[in-house]
């Protein structure tokens, strides 16, 4: 089994910054991509940012130039630095891991961490 533990969410004023972290543990042989998704009330879950094993990154247009994703491969941890936050960034942020276990492919999700941006 794989566990993803997220931390760092909270309440921040518009224009402020937050950093969320996600640490993966368990039966992980290799990690291909780690990413952050978010789901706002009444909306579908959407990709925020992802990072490949070699460091290549992908961002949603709505967060480009404001959010930065990074990962520490030695710690199986991914970070999302969020700057210039807007009220529309309010959502539950979920960590995702895709890779391989000892035998099977992995597609694991964290429990989510709430980010609230007040205007």
């Amino acid at each position: 089994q794989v566990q993803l533990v997220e931390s760092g969410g909270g309440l921040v004023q518009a224009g402020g910054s937050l950093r969320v972290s996600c640490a993966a543990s368990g039966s992980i042989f290799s990690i291909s991509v780690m990413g952050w998704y978010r789901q706002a009330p009444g909306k579908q879950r959407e990709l925020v940012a992802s990072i490949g094993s070699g460091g290549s990154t992908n961002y949603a247009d709505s967060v480009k130039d404001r959010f930065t994703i990074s990962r520490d491969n030695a710690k199986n941890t991914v970070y999302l630095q969020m700057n210039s936050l807007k009220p529309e960034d309010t959502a539950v942020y979920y960590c995702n891991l895709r890779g391989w276990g000892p035998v099977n492919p992995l597609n694991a999700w964290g429990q989510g961490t709430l980010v609230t941006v007040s205007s």
Side-chain angles (χ1 to χ4, degrees):
Q1 284 190 344
V2 174
Q3 296 82 39
L4 301 180
V5 179
E6 297 140 335
S7 60
L11 174 65
V12 65
Q13 288 189 330
S17 298
L18 275 178
R19 188 176 84 152
V20 290
S21 304
C22 172
S25 61
S27 301
I28 301 169
F29 180 73
S30 66
I31 299 175
S32 300
V33 179
M34 296 190 78
W36 288 95
Y37 289 71
R38 68 186 181 187
Q39 187 166 19
K43 294 188 177 181
Q44 289 189 332
R45 190 174 297 189
E46 62 176 0
L47 174 68
V48 177
S50 64
I51 184 166
S53 57
S56 60
T57 57
N58 181 45
Y59 294 93
D61 288 343
S62 59
V63 306
K64 280 181 181 176
D65 300 325
R66 299 189 298 122
F67 291 10
T68 302
I69 190 169
S70 60
R71 65 191 274 181
D72 184 333
N73 291 331
K75 297 180 179 179
N76 286 346
T77 299
V78 64
Y79 307 94
L80 184 69
Q81 176 67 43
M82 302 181 287
N83 298 329
S84 302
L85 282 160
K86 305 175 181 180
E88 51 263 43
D89 294 318
T90 295
V92 177
Y93 284 70
Y94 296 92
C95 177
N96 175 255
L97 177 157
R98 283 179 281 154
W100 283 89
V103 175
N104 297 318
L106 300 174
N107 185 12
W109 291 90
Q111 80 284 358
T113 185
L114 177 62
V115 172
T116 304
V117 184
S118 63
S119 57

